[in-house]
Amino acid sequence: MALKVIQRLQLLRQTGAHLCPPGELSRTRLLSVPIGEPMCVACLWTSADRCIQRQGCRKLSQPDSGRMSLSTITKDPFYTTGSVSLHKDSVPRFRLSQLHRPTDAEEKAFHDRLVSCSSSRQVLRLLRTVEIMSDTMAAAALHRVADIEQDGTSLKDPKVLEEDTLRALCCQVEQDSGRLTEAGLVSALLACTRLYVDPWSTLVVRLVSESQERLDRGQMSVGQLCTLGQALLALEGPGCGMLEQLMEQVQRQEPGQWSLVELTAVYRLLQAGVGEEGRYQDLLNAMHAYTVSVTSRMDPPAISSVLSALVVLNQTQAMPLVISLCKQAVRHIPHFRDEELGLVLGALMHFGHSDHFLVEAMERHVPKMAFTSLPETVTKVMQYFGRRNILSLPVFDAVAESFVYRADEYSTSQVARQIMPFGKLGYLPPNAGEVFRKVEAILHARFSHFQPRTLLNLLHSCILVERFPVNFVSKVFNRYFLQQLQEQGSGVDRIVLAQLTQLYMTVKLECPFYEGPRLLPKYRVKSFLTPGRSLETPVDGHLYNYVKTGLVDLLGARTYFASRVLTPYCYTLDVEIKLDEEGYVLPASQIDDIYKRIAVCIDGHKRFTVNTRQLLGKEAIKQRHLRLLGYEVVQIPYYEFEKLWNKTEVVEYLHKKIFPLSYRLSW
């Protein structure tokens, strides 16, 4: 290790003219390192007052301490064919001209041709046609290669870094690092991190050193500081010392002085890790206040970028900004790219916000994009409507139709997440037969590919709309499957047990021909009504009180009905009324000679979809099961009860609802 460091120091002394002018040699860190202490190349060749690696010099720490993946580097990381050094004989040659820069028209033409390249070979072919280019053009070419080749934390084809054309371009960037513009410098450094060039190549070391010197001068714009920050995060993570210096300069300017591009760049930088653990909250508050005033000028990329940052930074107090961004998003729904629309909908789900203008815009847009958009985008659309309890027939019908034709290319998670909203909102599309035949075919073909909880969610959604997955229930009640549910966490949570119990009850009540294994008692719950997420919606308190008062007037006393009754079948009744064989009302405490039980369902707003009078799937299955269990179910929906004006109307309404065939004398 020590030998490598000494060799690298010797090499840097030979090439140091690009980093430190001869007249300033006496001021370099080389002369101030105490004897016997290990030396860091990055410290020696920057003007920082401290090591730019705040958590320890990279080459003096463990090999895996860095943030970047070095999977593209297979040889000595300082002088390797995967990284770019001083190769004087590299061909072809490039000249990064600053005195005679290409014209704006030439740069635009180059960028247009660059964007049209769909492979690295095409990018390299384009570069071979250009001899003189600006540093920003060179950086853009590197970024385009990264766009094409990036695959997770590595490159699809690492050998692209060994191409002579690319090496020659990087060599020229390295040699001219001191003459690059701030924009070209930081963009080139960021491109190197995206290409996973060795952080200890002379190319990256020089670009970092030059960036430190420019940072010390304090002349970078906010946008350039953000680009540099993204590169430093990739190199070292949020603990990098240069980031603190960089953020100090960002905070010196008021957000109101920034352009929209700079504003979104700062949001992205904070989102990437700089703003974690609540840091820079004062800066964020100032940014939120300013952003609200400029949302009307934001385009789709800016809207999605800011909303995504708000989610990652968990800015729950920024609801005025979220609402303002949602209003602006309505205008751009047809113009969002798939990824951008997914981010917007994900943010609105995170903050629990919906807008009927947004819903109307989606109803116009989704039928056009359901067959062509990315599967994940279509899935996000369904998740948003399902999460917000919004039943939109144009959206659901279009997605159902596209599902039949596209489901084979969906992941198992996407299949489940597209079907679950149908069950949650209790809606069957016109082509329900085709949809659920496709679901069954996918389950037969890819059953083992489903995660256990994903599979359970899918099957449970099916029973909510009376589609019974009998062929797969035996596998769910299997001991091995139940063990898998437990292995995903510390035991099985109550909602999973409740889903299993309701699935079991459905098979017993609605599929009497089923003869497979039963659900073991230890996996059953006693009540579907639990705090938080529940398979039943608690009764609305205000509506219940009004109905209770009316029932007392109707029946003559409070003792003739019971409230919030837990049945042996796990369901909780809002009100239970018992009758004898002759139809007389019995006291609620009586347990003998009961001929009929009436279950009164007091259905408030939360038991329906928000924009229609469609009963939610979990409430529909409850009423369906109660009828099968012998109860006479009487539904009292909020939209009927709210029309009643006085006590007399309430009593008459309840009488007609509960005792429609009896004549009530006045008492």
Side-chain angles (χ1 to χ4, degrees), residues 537-540 543 547 574 600-608 615 619 622-623 633-641:
T537 307
V539 65
D540 180 270
L543 183 59
V547 174
D574 300 330
V600 180
C601 296
I602 305 172
D603 295 330
H605 291 78
K606 293 184 178 179
R607 294 185 178 180
F608 295 86
L615 203 62
E619 302 303 326
K622 172 184 175 179
Q623 295 185 15
V633 177
V634 174
Q635 184 184 10
I636 300 179
Y638 74 92
Y639 53 83
E640 291 181 357
F641 199 84

Coordinates of all heavy atoms in Angstrom, one line a residue, residues 537-540 543 547 574 600-608 615 619 622-623 633-641:
T537 N -64.9 -0.6 8.1 CA -64.8 0.8 8.3 C -65.7 1.1 9.6 O -66.8 0.8 9.6 CB -65.4 1.6 7.2 OG1 -64.8 1.3 6.0 CG2 -65.2 3.1 7.4
P538 N -65.1 1.7 10.6 CA -65.8 2.0 11.8 C -67.0 2.9 11.5 O -67.0 3.7 10.6 CB -64.8 2.8 12.7 CG -63.5 2.4 12.2 CD -63.7 2.1 10.7
V539 N -68.1 2.8 12.3 CA -69.3 3.6 12.0 C -69.0 5.0 12.3 O -68.3 5.4 13.2 CB -70.5 3.0 12.9 CG1 -70.2 3.3 14.4 CG2 -71.8 3.7 12.5
D540 N -69.6 5.9 11.5 CA -69.5 7.3 11.7 C -70.2 7.8 13.0 O -71.4 7.5 13.1 CB -70.0 8.1 10.5 CG -69.9 9.6 10.6 OD1 -70.9 10.2 11.1 OD2 -68.9 10.1 10.2
L543 N -73.3 10.3 12.6 CA -74.5 9.6 11.9 C -75.1 8.6 12.8 O -76.3 8.4 12.9 CB -74.0 9.0 10.6 CG -75.1 8.3 9.7 CD1 -76.2 9.3 9.3 CD2 -74.4 7.7 8.4
V547 N -79.1 8.2 14.1 CA -79.9 7.0 13.9 C -80.3 6.4 15.2 O -81.4 5.9 15.4 CB -79.1 6.0 13.1 CG1 -79.8 4.7 12.9 CG2 -78.8 6.5 11.7
D574 N -73.3 -2.5 13.3 CA -73.5 -1.2 13.9 C -74.7 -1.2 14.8 O -74.7 -0.7 15.9 CB -73.8 -0.2 12.7 CG -72.7 -0.1 11.8 OD1 -71.5 -0.3 12.2 OD2 -72.9 0.2 10.6
V600 N -78.4 -3.7 11.1 CA -78.6 -2.3 10.5 C -77.2 -1.8 10.2 O -76.4 -1.6 11.1 CB -79.3 -1.4 11.4 CG1 -79.5 0.0 10.8 CG2 -80.7 -2.0 11.8
C601 N -76.9 -1.5 8.9 CA -75.6 -1.0 8.5 C -75.7 0.5 8.3 O -76.4 1.0 7.4 CB -75.1 -1.6 7.2 SG -74.8 -3.4 7.4
I602 N -75.1 1.3 9.2 CA -75.2 2.8 9.1 C -73.9 3.2 8.3 O -72.8 3.4 8.9 CB -75.2 3.4 10.5 CG1 -76.4 2.8 11.3 CG2 -75.3 4.9 10.5 CD1 -76.4 3.2 12.8
D603 N -74.1 3.4 7.1 CA -73.0 3.6 6.1 C -72.7 5.1 5.9 O -73.5 5.8 5.2 CB -73.3 2.9 4.8 CG -73.4 1.4 5.0 OD1 -72.7 0.9 5.9 OD2 -74.1 0.8 4.2
G604 N -71.7 5.6 6.5 CA -71.3 7.0 6.4 C -70.4 7.2 5.1 O -70.2 6.3 4.3
H605 N -69.9 8.4 4.9 CA -69.2 8.8 3.7 C -68.0 7.8 3.5 O -67.7 7.5 2.4 CB -68.6 10.2 3.8 CG -69.7 11.2 3.8 ND1 -70.5 11.6 4.9 CD2 -70.1 12.1 2.8 CE1 -71.4 12.5 4.5 NE2 -71.2 12.8 3.3
K606 N -67.3 7.4 4.5 CA -66.0 6.7 4.4 C -66.3 5.2 3.9 O -65.3 4.6 3.6 CB -65.3 6.7 5.7 CG -64.7 8.0 6.1 CD -63.9 8.0 7.3 CE -63.3 9.3 7.7 NZ -62.5 9.3 8.9
R607 N -67.5 4.8 3.9 CA -67.8 3.5 3.4 C -68.1 3.4 1.9 O -68.4 2.4 1.3 CB -68.9 2.8 4.2 CG -68.6 2.6 5.6 CD -69.7 1.9 6.4 NE -69.3 1.6 7.8 CZ -70.1 1.0 8.7 NH1 -71.3 0.6 8.3 NH2 -69.7 0.9 9.9
F608 N -68.0 4.6 1.2 CA -68.3 4.7 -0.2 C -67.0 5.3 -0.9 O -66.2 6.0 -0.2 CB -69.5 5.6 -0.4 CG -70.8 5.0 0.1 CD1 -71.2 5.2 1.4 CD2 -71.6 4.3 -0.7 CE1 -72.4 4.7 1.9 CE2 -72.8 3.8 -0.3 CZ -73.2 4.0 1.1
L615 N -70.4 1.4 -2.9 CA -70.0 0.9 -1.6 C -68.6 0.2 -1.8 O -68.3 -0.5 -2.8 CB -71.0 -0.2 -1.1 CG -71.0 -0.5 0.4 CD1 -71.4 0.8 1.2 CD2 -72.0 -1.6 0.7
E619 N -66.9 -3.3 2.5 CA -68.3 -3.2 3.0 C -69.3 -4.0 2.2 O -70.2 -4.6 2.8 CB -68.7 -1.7 3.0 CG -67.8 -0.8 3.8 CD -67.6 -1.2 5.2 OE1 -68.6 -1.7 5.8 OE2 -66.5 -1.0 5.8
K622 N -68.9 -7.6 3.4 CA -69.5 -7.7 4.8 C -71.0 -7.9 4.7 O -71.5 -8.9 5.3 CB -69.1 -6.5 5.6 CG -69.8 -6.5 7.0 CD -69.5 -5.2 7.7 CE -70.3 -5.1 9.0 NZ -70.0 -3.8 9.7
Q623 N -71.7 -7.1 3.9 CA -73.1 -7.2 3.8 C -73.5 -8.5 3.1 O -74.5 -9.2 3.5 CB -73.7 -6.0 3.1 CG -73.5 -4.7 3.9 CD -74.1 -3.5 3.3 OE1 -75.0 -3.6 2.4 NE2 -73.8 -2.3 3.7
V633 N -80.2 -7.8 6.3 CA -79.3 -6.6 6.3 C -80.2 -5.4 5.8 O -80.8 -5.4 4.8 CB -78.1 -6.8 5.3 CG1 -77.3 -5.5 5.3 CG2 -77.3 -7.9 5.8
V634 N -80.1 -4.3 6.6 CA -80.8 -3.1 6.3 C -79.7 -2.0 6.2 O -79.0 -1.7 7.2 CB -81.8 -2.7 7.4 CG1 -82.4 -1.3 7.1 CG2 -82.9 -3.7 7.5
Q635 N -79.6 -1.4 5.0 CA -78.6 -0.4 4.8 C -79.2 1.0 5.0 O -80.2 1.3 4.3 CB -78.0 -0.6 3.4 CG -76.8 0.4 3.2 CD -76.3 0.3 1.7 OE1 -76.9 -0.4 0.9 NE2 -75.2 0.9 1.4
I636 N -78.5 1.8 5.8 CA -78.9 3.2 5.9 C -77.8 4.1 5.5 O -76.9 4.4 6.2 CB -79.3 3.5 7.4 CG1 -80.4 2.6 7.9 CG2 -79.6 5.0 7.6 CD1 -80.9 2.8 9.3
P637 N -77.8 4.5 4.2 CA -76.7 5.3 3.7 C -76.8 6.7 4.0 O -77.9 7.3 4.2 CB -76.8 5.1 2.2 CG -78.2 4.8 1.9 CD -78.7 4.1 3.2
Y638 N -75.7 7.4 4.2 CA -75.7 8.8 4.6 C -76.4 9.7 3.6 O -77.1 10.6 4.1 CB -74.2 9.3 4.7 CG -73.6 9.5 3.3 CD1 -73.6 10.7 2.7 CD2 -72.9 8.4 2.7 CE1 -73.0 10.9 1.5 CE2 -72.4 8.6 1.4 CZ -72.4 9.9 0.8 OH -71.9 10.1 -0.4
Y639 N -76.4 9.4 2.3 CA -77.0 10.3 1.4 C -78.5 10.2 1.4 O -79.2 11.2 1.0 CB -76.5 10.0 0.0 CG -76.6 8.5 -0.5 CD1 -77.8 8.1 -1.0 CD2 -75.5 7.7 -0.4 CE1 -77.9 6.7 -1.4 CE2 -75.6 6.4 -0.8 CZ -76.8 5.9 -1.3 OH -76.9 4.6 -1.7
E640 N -79.1 9.2 2.0 CA -80.5 9.2 2.2 C -80.9 9.8 3.6 O -81.8 10.6 3.7 CB -81.1 7.7 2.2 CG -81.0 7.1 0.8 CD -81.6 5.7 0.8 OE1 -81.9 5.2 1.9 OE2 -81.6 5.0 -0.2
F641 N -80.1 9.5 4.6 CA -80.4 10.0 5.9 C -80.2 11.6 6.0 O -81.0 12.2 6.7 CB -79.5 9.4 6.9 CG -80.1 9.4 8.3 CD1 -81.0 8.5 8.8 CD2 -79.6 10.4 9.2 CE1 -81.5 8.6 10.1 CE2 -80.1 10.5 10.5 CZ -81.1 9.6 10.9

